[in-house]
Amino acid sequence: MRSKPRVLAIVLAGGEGKRLMPLTQDRAKPAVPFGGTYRLIDFVLSNIVNSGYLKTVVLTQYKSHSLDRHIAKTWRMSSLLGNYIAPVPAQQRVSKDWFSGSADAVFQSLNILDDERPDIVLITGADNIYRMDFSQMVEQHIEEGVGMTISGIRQPIEMSTSFGVIDTDPNNQKKVREFLEKPEQVDGLPDSPNEILASMGNYVVTADALYEALHEDAENPDSNHDMGGDMVPKFVENNDCGVYDFTFNDVPGATDRDRNYWRDVGTIDMFHEANMDLISVNPIFNLYNDKWPLYTGYTGLPPAKFVYGHRERLGHALDSIISPGVIISGGEVIGSVLSPHVRVNSWSSVRDSVIFDGVQVGRNATVVGAILDKYVTVEEGAQVGIDHEHDRARGFHVSESGIVVVPKGATVRMH
């Protein structure tokens, strides 16, 4: 019987997330709340743990305090068994520079590989929404005998200019012929001419090959030190890069509707849309799959409460996610996602919105198509999302599709 390879997981969580401002104004993007009780990073960490990989480092850099705190409070593994999920900040071990790219982040953390001595390294991003069994990708990587394997998700061919595109070898669909960065023109897949394989930002690399490639990249003055832009093309050039098609990933408990779901939540509109994906009757992404659970840190909270049953003062929620600790006191919530400790008061209305922890919605207030960051207070009679010009004049961000973002701790006044 062949022994299992030693796998170390590295999660790249140092990105600034500028396109998600103002939600990333004082927190790292992977720490942004999502889906009521989760943080974005919980999805990839749940995937790693459910895949059976219990040694993980999270490389952090930008405004990482809330992310570090969340990992420390939530992701405590068995020290008896030598398991851990550990945040590792930029340490300037190699030079006095911060991380200059995703490959440089791994290069500056090679001491972790020296300590752990893995056979294989799994490298992932920290802020996409999906379920994936990484062990199936690792298995293919070993079978194909390549130095690096990248995961690809099928996308319509007209979206090629938005992604790094993986051009496969016609004679071997598991081998990468070329890696194209946002190409204007590209061939479709042999079995689906109207689709391409877009890079998901997940990599499985044989440890020795990774070590060698990172040193070579670090010495190249023309490199941007990026995993996708610099490291992948180098492995492709050496005919040593495989591709794992996410379509064939089989996650226990997946439904036909949510199988192969993957969302980049890089902008406010994408973030809002991904939250809305959770709340339909048959959700596009199913939070309730107990065969591949999603883990997060909320414990000890009281149940959600709905009070006042009079027809003119009815506390109710429809087509929504209502987290523990929420009180809906005579108001209505429709098509929305509410995080813990939110209070919606009498005769108020919250629609098509994402509400973070501790928000207070006053009486007769209206919130439509908005994202309210933590501890926002909407005063009695105030409105958000009704008059976008007024929202902008008050300093609130309005996205391209009209989603209004109220920053952390702000007060929404009536005038």
Side-chain angles (χ1 to χ4, degrees):
M1 180 178 167
R2 189 174 62 182
S3 62
K4 286 186 177 181
R6 289 168 59 91
V7 177
L8 173 70
I10 297 178
V11 179
L12 301 169
E16 194 170 341
K18 286 181 180 177
R19 294 183 305 153
L20 211 52
M21 290 288 277
L23 300 181
T24 50
Q25 196 165 295
D26 64 0
R27 61 167 76 88
K29 183 181 173 186
V32 172
F34 182 85
T37 57
Y38 305 95
R39 304 281 186 131
L40 290 179
I41 197 169
D42 290 332
F43 292 82
V44 70
L45 290 180
S46 295
N47 285 331
I48 290 169
V49 168
N50 287 331
S51 299
Y53 303 134
L54 305 177
K55 296 177 189 291
T56 301
V57 292
V58 180
L59 304 186
T60 66
Q61 179 166 266
Y62 172 82
K63 294 183 179 177
S64 63
H65 172 65
S66 62
L67 179 60
D68 293 339
R69 184 181 59 198
H70 176 70
I71 293 170
K73 289 173 66 177
T74 304
W75 291 94
R76 286 174 292 183
M77 312 295 281
S78 171
S79 57
L80 180 67
L81 301 178
N83 304 326
Y84 59 85
I85 293 177
V88 178
Q91 300 176 75
Q92 299 185 329
R93 280 177 173 268
V94 178
S95 68
K96 293 300 180 185
D97 299 319
W98 299 112
F99 299 151
S100 59
S102 51
D104 183 53
V106 181
F107 175 70
Q108 290 203 37
S109 307
L110 278 177
N111 64 294
I112 297 165
L113 269 68
D114 292 336
D115 293 341
E116 200 56 57
R117 298 187 177 275
D119 302 309
I120 286 171
V121 182
L122 166 65
I123 302 172
T124 75
D127 44 33
N128 295 315
I129 306 301
Y130 64 111
R131 277 189 174 91
M132 182 174 180
D133 182 352
F134 290 120
S135 69
Q136 296 169 30
M137 183 178 172
V138 170
E139 196 174 301
Q140 179 188 300
H141 175 81
I142 294 169
E143 287 173 358
E144 293 297 307
V146 288
M148 171 184 275
T149 300
I150 58 180
S151 63
I153 183 165
R154 296 186 176 215
Q155 296 287 336
I157 196 167
E158 57 269 21
M159 292 184 67
S160 65
T161 54
S162 301
F163 294 102
V165 175
I166 303 159
D167 180 30
T168 58
D169 184 338
N171 300 315
N172 182 359
Q173 287 289 287
K174 295 178 181 177
K175 204 78 180 280
V176 181
R177 179 173 65 179
E178 197 174 358
F179 186 78
L180 308 163
E181 193 62 47
K182 300 180 179 178
E184 294 286 341
Q185 287 189 319
V186 66
D187 295 331
L189 296 170
D191 63 346
S192 182
N194 295 319
E195 289 185 312
I196 54 161
L197 273 180
S199 174
M200 298 168 67
N202 298 330
Y203 314 94
V204 171
V205 198
T206 302
D208 291 344
L210 177 64
Y211 203 91
E212 184 179 327
L214 285 171
H215 276 280
E216 193 176 310
D217 178 75
E219 292 164 10
N220 180 1
D222 299 322
S223 174
N224 292 317
H225 310 300
D226 182 68
M227 287 297 300
D230 299 290
M231 294 284 283
V232 172
K234 202 69 183 170
F235 277 91
V236 173
E237 191 182 301
N238 295 333
N239 196 32
D240 199 22
C241 189
V243 56
Y244 178 78
D245 190 337
F246 182 55
T247 306
F248 304 115
N249 195 253
D250 186 22
V251 171
T255 65
D256 289 340
R257 187 159 166 77
D258 81 341
R259 190 182 304 279
N260 304 135
Y261 178 97
W262 181 86
R263 289 290 183 276
D264 176 7
V265 290
T267 67
I268 290 297
D269 288 333
M270 294 159 83
F271 178 83
H272 184 268
E273 187 181 314
N275 271 277
M276 296 299 106
D277 285 346
L278 307 175
I279 58 180
S280 59
V281 176
N282 295 306
I284 306 171
F285 185 77
N286 178 24
L287 294 176
Y288 304 92
N289 178 0
D290 59 5
K291 294 181 179 176
W292 195 267
L294 296 167
Y295 299 103
T296 190
Y298 283 102
T299 57
L301 292 178
K305 185 168 75 166
F306 303 77
V307 293
Y308 296 116
H310 191 274
R311 60 188 173 83
E312 293 180 359
R313 194 185 183 190
L314 181 65
H316 65 285
L318 300 171
D319 299 327
S320 298
I321 287 174
I322 308 299
S323 298
V326 171
I327 298 175
I328 300 179
S329 176
E332 71 168 14
V333 176
I334 298 174
S336 297
V337 176
L338 271 58
S339 296
H341 300 303
V342 169
R343 185 173 180 119
V344 180
N345 285 296
S346 295
W347 306 293
S348 60
S349 177
V350 176
R351 292 173 178 259
D352 306 321
S353 296
V354 181
I355 313 297
F356 287 6
D357 304 51
V359 169
Q360 302 290 310
V361 180
R363 290 183 168 204
N364 294 297
T366 305
V367 179
V368 179
I371 300 170
L372 307 187
D373 206 333
K374 284 187 173 186
Y375 312 124
V376 163
T377 299
V378 182
E379 290 190 343
E380 185 171 342
Q383 296 182 335
V384 182
I386 303 295
D387 181 347
H388 287 166
E389 287 308 310
H390 186 213
D391 291 330
R392 288 190 185 95
R394 292 184 287 183
F396 304 150
H397 175 85
V398 181
S399 74
E400 285 183 17
S401 70
I403 303 301
V404 182
V405 185
V406 180
K408 187 175 180 180
T411 298
V412 181
R413 305 189 190 282
M414 191 169 176
H415 300 293

